[in-house]
Amino acid sequence: MISLEASNVSTAWLAAAASLDHEPKRKAVHTVVRIADPVAETPAVRAAMDKLLAAQDLQSVDTVANTIFPVAIAESSRDHAELVARYVRMYPFLRKRYSQNSRGTYFGRLVQYPTGKEPFDQIGAVITRVGIERDGGNPKHARYEATLALPDDMTTNVPVYVPGRDNNAMAFPCLSHCSFQLDAEGHVHLLATYRSQYMVQRGYGNYLGLGRLLAHVAGQTDLQVGHLTVVAGLAHLEPPIMPVRSLLARFANNALEL
């Protein structure tokens, strides 16, 4: 098991990758990474990461992050409702145009979760619920949840996995669910759970995308961005390992700034 805290997205990835590199087969069960400022990065680390990904013909950090939260569309939308409406119109194209999205994107699943009725916008429900709790005078700080909970019960638990439908052990979605918490100081926090996570291909982009999703919920509810905690049932620092080790060595001091 690996458990660590980091100041931002870049230091979190460096620390997680360095820890995994010391594990047998570079894999660890139950990896927990807590990021204090999940929308901040170290520019030099980000540039080096994108260079490494491009050299291996892998998706860039922003491309991965956008599957969790489409920041450019959000920035040009008036509110969450307009963001969702625009994204839903684009969704068929995104799934058809990009082979990696053929089964969908995380954001698409979050705002168009399949139910027995109409697709359900879980993030919109979270925004509504957090707003109600914020203005209620005695806000609940967390919700207890179970995997049997339905998304239309308006809780702050947001499932991604659809039982009976998502049966491929190695395919989408690796992100299982997101759970938001509100604290007494006016911060909203996010706990994200992955059944498995590939740290080279998607780890950095996952952290950044989740941080942007959290910032969106905070912004829509007039709250402050809290911390992001990412739990991976199995985390894997996969090849190419030598370029990764070179990057880790270059930024070894950054990884210690936790």
Side-chain angles (χ1 to χ4, degrees):
M1 177 178 176
I2 294 173
S3 180
L4 58 90
E5 298 190 11
S7 58
N8 63 35
V9 171
S10 301
T11 56
W13 186 88
L14 289 170
S19 296
L20 284 166
D21 194 28
H22 290 92
E23 293 289 320
K25 298 183 179 179
R26 299 186 301 279
K27 296 180 180 180
V29 173
H30 297 173
T31 297
V32 181
V33 178
R34 187 175 185 267
I35 307 174
D37 187 348
V39 292
E41 299 179 78
T42 304
V45 177
R46 167 63 180 278
M49 190 68 202
D50 271 328
K51 184 176 180 180
L52 183 153
L53 294 170
Q56 302 301 322
D57 197 27
L58 296 171
Q59 292 180 323
S60 70
V61 168
D62 265 332
T63 298
V64 173
N66 282 335
T67 65
I68 298 174
F69 187 74
V71 65
I73 303 174
E75 289 176 346
S76 59
S77 299
R78 290 187 302 272
D79 53 23
H80 179 75
E82 182 178 338
L83 164 62
V84 172
R86 293 174 63 193
Y87 194 84
V88 168
R89 288 195 297 269
M90 298 172 59
Y91 200 35
F93 168 78
L94 293 174
R95 296 183 65 173
K96 184 177 181 179
R97 174 66 177 81
Y98 302 101
S99 60
Q100 298 93 334
N101 297 338
S102 60
R103 294 176 63 87
T105 67
Y106 288 117
F107 189 72
R109 179 64 64 86
L110 290 170
V111 300
Q112 288 275 283
Y113 190 85
T115 69
K117 301 175 183 178
E118 295 295 321
F120 184 76
D121 176 9
Q122 301 182 86
I123 299 303
V126 166
I127 290 169
T128 299
R129 174 56 62 189
V130 170
I132 291 172
E133 297 292 352
R134 178 201 61 202
D135 299 332
N138 186 28
K140 297 179 178 64
H141 302 312
R143 296 283 188 167
Y144 297 101
E145 61 232 17
T147 56
L148 296 177
L150 296 175
D152 56 355
D153 66 0
M154 295 288 286
T155 71
T156 49
N157 178 49
V158 180
V160 178
Y161 179 82
V162 178
R165 171 169 161 175
D166 297 322
N167 298 317
N168 190 320
M170 299 301 293
F172 175 90
C174 288
L175 174 63
S176 299
H177 78 270
C178 298
S179 180
F180 295 83
Q181 291 78 35
L182 173 64
D183 70 20
E185 287 72 42
H187 296 83
V188 60
H189 308 276
L190 171 57
L191 169 66
T193 303
Y194 284 81
R195 58 188 176 87
S196 64
Q197 189 171 49
Y198 287 94
M199 290 304 299
V200 177
Q201 297 178 46
R202 308 191 69 82
Y204 194 114
N206 286 342
Y207 291 167
L208 184 60
L210 289 166
R212 289 171 173 175
L213 176 64
L214 173 57
H216 174 68
V217 172
Q220 293 293 303
T221 54
D222 295 322
L223 294 167
Q224 299 299 311
V225 176
H227 59 252
L228 165 67
T229 302
V230 181
V231 179
L234 176 66
H236 182 199
L237 187 68
E238 76 278 21
I241 194 59
M242 295 312 294
V244 171
R245 285 174 175 164
S246 177
L247 189 155
L248 292 175
R250 177 181 171 189
F251 295 104
N253 291 333
N254 296 76
L256 296 176
E257 296 173 6
L258 305 181

